[in-house]
Amino acid sequence: MKHQFALQKGFVLLALAAVTLNSFSLSVNAQTTIGVDRNTDLQQTSRAASADITPKVSEYMNALVKAGWFSGSILIAQNGKVLVSKGYGMASVELEVANTPQTKFRVGSITKVFTATAIMLLQERGKLSLQDSICKYVVDCPASWQPITIHHLLSHTSGLAKHDTAGVYLKTATLPMTLTQMIESFKNKPADFQPGEKFDYNNNGYILLGQVIEKTSGQSYEAFLKENIFQPLKMLDSGYDNHDPIIKNRAAGYRSEGATLFNAAYIDQSQPFSAGALYSTTGDLLLLDQALNDGKFLSPKTQETMTTAVSGNYGYGWFVNKQFNRRAVFHPGGVPGFSAMITRFPDEKVMIVTLSNLENSQIIRAGNDLAAIVFGEKYEVPRVRTAVKIDRTLLNSYVGEYEDRPGRITAIFVDHDILMLQLANTGIGKFDPIPMSAESDREFFDPLHDTQAIFVKDAGGHVIEMVLRINGREFHAKKIK
């Protein structure tokens, strides 16, 4: 039961990330209004980024660690030059081994960057077409999959049924599965929608891309990445995180409940596969960034295709948007015990990586705020919040439904004198309500997930709005019921 609870908490974290990323354009606009109102000037940016940012980064990261929201390694670079590279916390709490820039972390869905890159390499070599039906690569392919193309898999617009929603995933996450078994687990399920209809983040699509890579290349997914990406780019500290081999400098994964630390729930690494089974270091991800900036590893035309949004601010293997009025491409990752974020600003040649062996780490917020430090924008240093007791009558006044955009409703209710936050369904399952502690009579917080809810009243004292802050981003939700 404790094991299942740990995995369920992991899905809450993914829900928070999904809420943030699916509304990235809204929150980015809010951020840019508090910064300097100007067009991006690359020379100004270069001077800002190359200034000594170390003191501010140290202040910020030390506060994040003190709040219990980070353990891992970070790297900030521009034009291939490392501005900051440092480890925080422990790679092994039991053995008292510290995290360093050489520590290897599971990167979760950052794996999708490499899977998409592998597909695009095969496309550049004329081995496949993005318009190929996936049935070309799947034995006994269902007729309903015939219209689904590689393009749809890359852009999360396939409509494939999901097998990894919380209720299903909890039952099988510890079991080894072959690729064939993985595909069989969702092959005959009805589609969620027609291919190309909309964006819906889907791990199954990227698992099928692993099948495409193996079928096209005649190699295992692991071998193809090693020979065609990791070795050519000298990414010698990256690979497929199989459980059995001894991997030097590999971090152990942890989760926290309040101030108590636990070992992360076990999952068999055969299951994330080409959607989330890789490990890497901050330094190796810098090598990837440099290779992409060079334009020789992947052509500029291919990179433009990958970083052009198809739907839902997602291209091929990258989320794409603007941050602080600058073009940004990024991807988060999360598996039990680990969380990760890579953000690239291609025009400024800036890259920010946060890799963590604490699944509760606030890597999305940290990535945003570290970018703010680099570019001289506003940010808030994390702080430890103190809970106070609030009268039940006042809590009841906040109960209701709040809408921050059409159709997305967050619910507030009270359970045993505790304010509960029920996030809107993000499409990856139904998630447990989040208990919120009171910081004042209008401000509430969840210390585990860096989530705050601030209630706004009109002149008559009636609640009219909730300001929801998730991962350092802000959403305004009107009370509708």
Side-chain angles (χ1 to χ4, degrees), residues 356-377:
S356 176
N357 61 328
L358 177 64
E359 70 183 43
N360 312 85
S361 285
Q362 301 305 315
I363 47 92
I364 294 177
R365 175 186 176 177
N368 296 335
D369 289 344
L370 292 175
I373 292 173
V374 170
F375 296 121
E377 303 285 354

Side-chain angles (χ1 to χ4, degrees), residues 7 23 70 100 106 111 136 147 154 178 201 215 261 287 291 311 327 334 337 341 361 383 398 407 410 455 471:
L7 284 176
S23 294
F70 189 76
T100 73
R106 290 182 178 179
T111 298
K136 182 177 178 179
L154 287 167
T178 65
Y201 193 87
K215 187 80 171 179
L261 201 64
L287 293 175
S311 179
R327 186 166 64 99
M341 183 76 167
S361 285
R383 61 186 176 89
Y398 300 129
T410 298
F455 295 94
N471 291 321

Side-chain angles (χ1 to χ4, degrees), residues 17-32 312-313 319-324 326-330 341 343 345 364 367-368 405 408 471 473-475:
V19 167
T20 304
L21 292 172
N22 286 343
S23 294
F24 188 69
S25 59
L26 298 177
S27 57
V28 165
N29 290 338
Q31 283 188 323
T32 55
N313 297 328
F319 285 92
V320 297
N321 217 305
K322 280 196 171 183
Q323 189 173 354
F324 306 120
R326 296 167 173 88
R327 186 166 64 99
V329 298
F330 57 96
M341 183 76 167
T343 304
F345 295 89
I364 294 177
N368 296 335
R405 70 181 186 189
R408 193 172 73 179
N471 291 321
R473 292 176 177 164
E474 192 170 284
F475 311 91

Side-chain angles (χ1 to χ4, degrees), residues 15 60 100 116 135 139 164 207 221 244 267 272 287 289 306 395 398 414-415 469:
Y60 180 89
T100 73
C135 285
V139 176
D164 58 352
I207 287 171
Y221 172 78
D244 292 339
I267 62 170
L287 293 175
D289 176 69
M306 294 181 71
L395 292 179
Y398 300 129
V414 175
D415 183 25
R469 293 175 180 164

Side-chain angles (χ1 to χ4, degrees), residues 132-138 141 145-146 148-150 153 160 208 212:
D132 284 344
S133 167
I134 60 173
C135 285
K136 182 177 178 179
Y137 306 94
V138 178
C141 187
W145 283 13
Q146 189 65 44
I148 301 174
T149 66
I150 293 174
L153 301 183
L160 285 168
L208 283 177
V212 172

Side-chain angles (χ1 to χ4, degrees), residues 6-51:
L7 284 176
Q8 179 67 29
K9 295 294 285 186
F11 275 97
V12 172
L13 288 170
L14 291 176
L16 291 173
V19 167
T20 304
L21 292 172
N22 286 343
S23 294
F24 188 69
S25 59
L26 298 177
S27 57
V28 165
N29 290 338
Q31 283 188 323
T32 55
T33 59
I34 64 174
V36 180
D37 185 14
R38 52 161 169 70
N39 293 325
T40 301
D41 182 283
L42 297 185
Q43 290 183 340
Q44 282 186 332
T45 298
S46 180
R47 287 195 295 269
S50 61

Side-chain angles (χ1 to χ4, degrees), residues 117-348:
T117 298
I119 290 289
M120 299 309 284
L121 284 172
L122 290 167
Q123 191 249 6
E124 285 192 340
R125 296 168 185 175
K127 302 296 185 180
L128 56 77
S129 167
L130 301 185
Q131 301 309 315
D132 284 344
S133 167
I134 60 173
C135 285
K136 182 177 178 179
Y137 306 94
V138 178
V139 176
D140 297 326
C141 187
S144 61
W145 283 13
Q146 189 65 44
I148 301 174
T149 66
I150 293 174
H151 159 79
H152 292 132
L153 301 183
L154 287 167
S155 57
H156 295 293
T157 58
S158 67
L160 285 168
K162 298 177 182 179
H163 81 285
D164 58 352
T165 51
V168 176
Y169 190 69
L170 295 177
K171 299 176 182 178
T172 62
T174 62
L175 304 176
M177 294 182 73
T178 65
L179 178 53
T180 298
Q181 289 173 326
M182 289 287 288
I183 295 173
E184 287 293 330
S185 71
F186 61 87
K187 188 167 74 173
N188 295 312
K189 293 182 178 180
D192 291 336
F193 55 87
Q194 292 299 309
E197 182 179 312
K198 63 180 180 178
F199 168 84
D200 189 20
Y201 193 87
N202 191 323
N203 285 323
N204 286 344
Y206 271 74
I207 287 171
L208 283 177
L209 288 174
Q211 165 75 6
V212 172
I213 291 166
E214 293 197 348
K215 187 80 171 179
T216 303
S217 68
Q219 297 178 281
S220 69
Y221 172 78
E222 179 180 1
F224 184 85
L225 261 61
K226 182 177 181 180
E227 293 182 18
N228 292 272
I229 298 178
F230 298 144
Q231 288 181 341
L233 300 186
K234 301 188 186 308
M235 296 177 64
L236 304 182
D237 291 324
S238 300
Y240 196 108
D241 193 9
N242 292 304
H243 174 73
D244 292 339
I246 302 299
I247 300 176
K248 186 178 180 181
N249 295 326
R250 175 166 55 180
Y254 300 98
R255 61 181 176 87
S256 63
E257 296 291 338
T260 305
L261 201 64
F262 298 90
N263 287 308
Y266 173 80
I267 62 170
D268 192 275
Q269 284 295 93
S270 63
Q271 293 210 32
F273 189 52
S274 48
L278 299 183
Y279 69 86
S280 192
T281 65
T282 55
D284 266 17
L285 292 175
L286 176 59
L287 293 175
L288 172 68
D289 176 69
Q290 289 175 307
L292 295 176
N293 288 338
D294 182 71
K296 295 178 181 178
F297 177 64
L298 277 179
S299 72
K301 181 179 178 181
T302 293
Q303 291 192 57
E304 182 180 0
T305 300
M306 294 181 71
T307 57
T308 298
V310 175
S311 179
N313 297 328
Y314 202 92
Y316 292 166
W318 293 100
F319 285 92
V320 297
N321 217 305
K322 280 196 171 183
Q323 189 173 354
F324 306 120
N325 285 323
R326 296 167 173 88
R327 186 166 64 99
V329 298
F330 57 96
H331 213 296
V335 291
F338 297 85
S339 53
M341 183 76 167
I342 178 172
T343 304
R344 301 178 63 241
F345 295 89
D347 298 330
E348 293 79 12

